[in-house]
Amino acid sequence: GGANHAALVHRAADRLCGRLGACSGGEAATKVGQLAAVQAYEGIMRRAVALGESDAELSKRLSLAGVNTEQAVAVCEALRTRLPELRAAMLADGDTLSGSYLADFDWKVNLTVASSSAASMSKPAMQLALYVADGDGARREVMLEMDEAELDTMIAAVGAARNALTKIPA
């Protein structure tokens, strides 16, 4: 029933927030049977928080996925009541994903006008040097070389990432 859905949704929220308490053997057996549901609710809540979905948007998405109204209401209610702690937990989780960060970068474009196999050619290539630092301050250089098509793909991906970040509520 609705209480069971609400309990599963709140269990998913607890997992997202890093609060996983120990459980008894019988309780563990029950949870093994419900793990798929809890994991599904985690994914639903993570996406809803990341996109800043309203109750109406979330309900519509859940309905299109075949989730019944009772379950959708449980998800929306839990999300609404626990949104601040879910958002904080997801931000903290993102901060700890990697100790490495982009410290600096440099780029240049090379134009190959001839080679040993072709007397005349015009092939631009962009070289990108990424200087990655870890938590201890040690830096390493990562070199990338891209042709025009690969550069266009990278620019499109960076643009898509930028657009996705602008949709995340502050």
Side-chain angles (χ1 to χ4, degrees), residues 126 128 146-163:
M126 200 244 334
L128 178 63
M146 294 173 254
D147 63 24
E148 190 173 1
E150 292 169 324
L151 178 60
D152 289 341
T153 300
M154 185 192 76
I155 291 171
V158 169
R162 183 194 65 224
N163 291 339

Side-chain angles (χ1 to χ4, degrees), residues 130-146:
L130 303 174
Y131 301 98
V132 180
D134 63 18
D136 298 329
R139 288 172 57 139
R140 61 186 169 90
E141 181 181 26
V142 178
M143 289 294 296
L144 303 170
E145 184 168 307
M146 294 173 254

Side-chain angles (χ1 to χ4, degrees), residues 41-100:
Y41 285 133
E42 281 182 60
I44 290 165
M45 294 175 81
R46 185 178 299 277
R47 180 172 179 199
V49 171
L51 296 177
E53 287 181 320
S54 67
D55 281 1
E57 292 167 327
L58 178 56
S59 293
K60 181 179 178 181
R61 183 166 59 92
L62 292 172
S63 175
L64 290 172
V67 175
N68 71 37
T69 304
E70 182 181 30
Q71 292 167 321
V73 166
V75 172
C76 289
E77 286 177 0
L79 190 61
R80 193 177 330 108
T81 59
R82 299 190 64 180
L83 185 60
E85 71 178 308
L86 288 167
R87 186 178 288 142
M90 286 175 62
L91 286 172
D93 188 39
D95 287 346
T96 61
L97 286 179
S98 171
S100 299

Side-chain angles (χ1 to χ4, degrees), residues 17 48 117 148 153 166:
C17 292
S117 61
E148 190 173 1
T153 300
T166 62

